[in-house]
Amino acid sequence: SGNIITSSYAVGGLVGGGYDGLISNSYSTVNIKCQNYIFICGVGGLVASSISLIMTDCYFAGDIELILEENILEVYVGGLVAILQSSSTITNCYVSGTVQVNSEDYLQLENLSNSFYIGGFAGRIDESVTIKNCYREGNLDVTLNLSAEDKYAFSKLPAHKV
């Protein structure tokens, strides 16, 4: 338990990032607040970013708050994991708590449109990832400060990007 207040790129309640890892019977109840980062932000309740991760019987029961700055280029936020890649497998895991994303300044939508992934359970997930017997409860709140032109353009993005 406790709090993490940071401006780092890869922030996880348990692990920032890793390759070919195994996480089993683990949890985090930490609250994570991320702001004042430069260009890229990746925040996950347990893991920020992982390649070929096997995770079983894990949970995150804290809150995540992300305050977006106007110069942000990429956003990856997930209640359990921000980015899952390359044949990762998540089994018997859950998330409770709130994932909250806000912007104080006007965001530059043209910078975000290809790299904006926010999810209550996971942010960006590659096609080769398997998720079994997992669930999420709690709130996912996203409030973005966009110009009128960007609001219209943002509304036309594919749903999986939001």
Side-chain angles (χ1 to χ4, degrees):
S1 67
N3 297 302
I4 297 173
I5 300 173
T6 184
S7 61
S8 295
Y9 157 67
V11 180
L14 191 63
V15 177
Y19 302 94
D20 296 324
L22 170 65
I23 300 174
S24 181
N25 299 309
S26 299
Y27 69 94
S28 175
T29 59
V30 69
N31 295 313
I32 302 170
K33 181 176 181 177
C34 187
Q35 64 183 27
N36 299 322
Y37 43 82
I38 298 176
F39 305 120
I40 300 172
C41 187
V43 178
L46 283 186
V47 178
S49 178
S50 188
I51 296 174
S52 299
L53 172 69
I54 297 173
M55 183 185 295
T56 60
D57 302 309
C58 296
Y59 70 91
F60 174 69
D63 293 326
I64 295 173
E65 180 184 5
L66 177 63
I67 300 173
L68 300 178
E69 309 286 334
E70 67 179 316
N71 60 347
I72 190 70
L73 298 176
E74 297 179 26
V75 176
Y76 307 95
V77 181
L80 192 71
V81 181
I83 303 171
L84 279 172
Q85 301 177 60
S86 299
S87 302
S88 294
T89 302
I90 308 296
T91 308
N92 300 327
C93 295
Y94 72 92
V95 174
S96 64
T98 297
V99 175
Q100 182 178 358
V101 179
N102 297 304
S103 65
E104 294 178 347
D105 301 316
Y106 279 113
L107 299 179
Q108 302 299 318
L109 183 62
E110 66 273 5
N111 295 337
L112 284 175
S113 62
N114 290 321
S115 301
F116 195 73
Y117 300 87
I118 298 172
F121 189 83
R124 178 177 172 229
I125 304 172
D126 284 357
E127 290 180 15
S128 61
V129 170
T130 302
I131 298 176
K132 296 186 268 185
N133 197 32
C134 296
Y135 68 94
R136 166 164 175 52
E137 47 186 38
N139 295 322
L140 173 62
D141 299 320
V142 179
T143 304
L144 302 178
N145 191 1
L146 300 172
S147 68
E149 291 173 6
D150 283 347
K151 284 180 185 176
Y152 175 77
F154 196 75
S155 70
K156 299 301 179 189
L157 292 176
H160 71 279
K161 298 254 182 179
V162 177

